[in-house]
Amino acid sequence: MVRIRVLVVDDHRIFAESLAAALAAEPDVEVSAAGSGPAALRCLERAVAEGRRFDVMLVDADLGAVAGSVPGQREPGSGSGPPPASDGIALVAGVRVSHPGVRSVVLAERDDPRRAALALQAGASGWVAKDCSLSRLLAVIRGVLREETHLPPALLTGVLRELTAARKHRTDSERLVESLTPREHEVLRCMVAGLGRKDVAARLFLSPHTVRTHMQNVLGKLGVHSTLAAVALARRAGVRPADLAGDVVERSGQLA
């Protein structure tokens, strides 16, 4: 019998343990549980080292949310960039990169088309209510392993609307980024990587004054008034941050 390895990630211990026990009662399901994002990543890494990779991760949408906070809330002007680090959706995005073979399903306490769309964009294969039946959850688990995407029917229209709007914003952002010169694009990638003016100057072998001019040109062409807004727009357009680690290796090789 082929067993399905499932990782439950929820910081509500009683819920996580109850769900894990219910799933483990299935003859073809093997379950582990983690109470935080870092703990989940450790479980995934350990499983890889042992040659027993997980197939599906069930993660709480509000993982690590502070009481009284609004899940998924962003700073003003930050646009539709990645969700905050405490969000379960951010864990999905990270696992998509570090463990692409793991299918993620987000467990939510309420229907939220916007956050469900963000979850799909982050790489989730499903959005399921926490109070759904065990048979429904098992159907979703088995379905995502067949490359299916699962959403509650009531959310479908709202999620499609959100994804369509996000695609339009991305297209508009891409058009603005394409107006940059190659040097301005390099400067923007450094900004996305979190570098300040002096660090950008050192990396690109330019004077701080020249970098300041390039940054002002970038803001003007993108139609924004702050570095934060420029970075948010760049992320929507898919601009990747400058590879700082690779740059260190390259310079080390030159010095050698």
Side-chain angles (χ1 to χ4, degrees):
M1 179 186 297
V2 178
R3 297 178 68 81
I4 302 171
R5 300 202 68 219
V6 177
L7 177 62
V8 176
V9 188
D10 198 303
D11 51 8
H12 294 84
R13 185 173 57 85
I14 295 178
F15 175 83
E17 291 178 352
S18 298
L19 178 57
L23 291 172
E26 296 294 312
D28 64 337
V29 178
E30 182 178 337
V31 190
S32 296
S36 68
L41 293 174
R42 288 194 296 271
C43 284
L44 291 169
E45 291 295 340
R46 187 163 56 247
V48 170
E50 296 172 351
R52 301 169 67 247
R53 301 171 186 268
F54 283 97
D55 301 301
V56 178
M57 180 178 70
L58 305 178
V59 57
D60 178 19
D62 299 331
L63 182 70
V66 178
S69 67
V70 179
Q73 190 176 38
R74 293 173 173 74
E75 293 297 322
S78 63
S80 59
S86 63
D87 198 312
I89 296 174
L91 176 61
V92 171
V95 169
R96 179 186 188 182
V97 174
S98 59
H99 301 277
V102 178
R103 299 289 180 265
S104 296
V105 175
V106 177
L107 305 178
E109 293 186 354
R110 58 194 173 281
D111 286 345
D112 187 331
R114 177 174 171 275
R115 297 194 73 217
L118 286 173
L120 294 184
Q121 289 175 310
S125 297
W127 176 280
V128 182
K130 274 192 167 184
D131 60 358
C132 75
S133 66
L134 180 61
S135 60
R136 166 62 180 162
L137 184 56
L138 286 167
V140 170
I141 290 172
R142 295 188 170 104
V144 298
L145 290 177
R146 296 191 297 269
E147 305 295 334
E148 298 173 359
T149 299
H150 285 259
L151 285 171
L155 276 183
L156 187 57
T157 299
V159 167
L160 290 176
R161 186 182 301 116
E162 291 286 341
L163 292 176
T164 299
R167 190 176 300 113
K168 179 181 183 300
H169 289 317
R170 181 181 177 89
T171 301
D172 292 342
S173 300
E174 288 173 339
R175 176 177 52 79
L176 291 171
V177 168
E178 287 172 357
S179 71
L180 302 179
T181 66
R183 176 63 82 184
E184 289 166 352
H185 194 272
E186 282 185 287
V187 170
L188 179 59
R189 290 187 66 213
C190 290
M191 294 164 65
V192 173
L195 298 182
R197 189 193 313 164
K198 291 183 179 179
D199 291 330
V200 175
R203 174 185 171 83
L204 300 181
F205 303 102
L206 300 172
S207 72
H209 176 73
T210 299
V211 170
R212 179 182 180 183
T213 299
H214 283 313
M215 285 184 165
Q216 290 175 338
N217 290 340
V218 168
L219 296 184
K221 289 184 177 181
L222 297 185
V224 296
H225 302 287
S226 70
T227 297
L228 179 63
V231 169
L233 187 150
R235 286 174 173 166
R236 286 200 298 273
V239 175
R240 298 181 63 84
D243 184 2
L244 304 183
D247 185 57
V248 170
V249 172
E250 180 180 348
R251 293 190 185 182
S252 297
Q254 292 173 348
L255 291 174

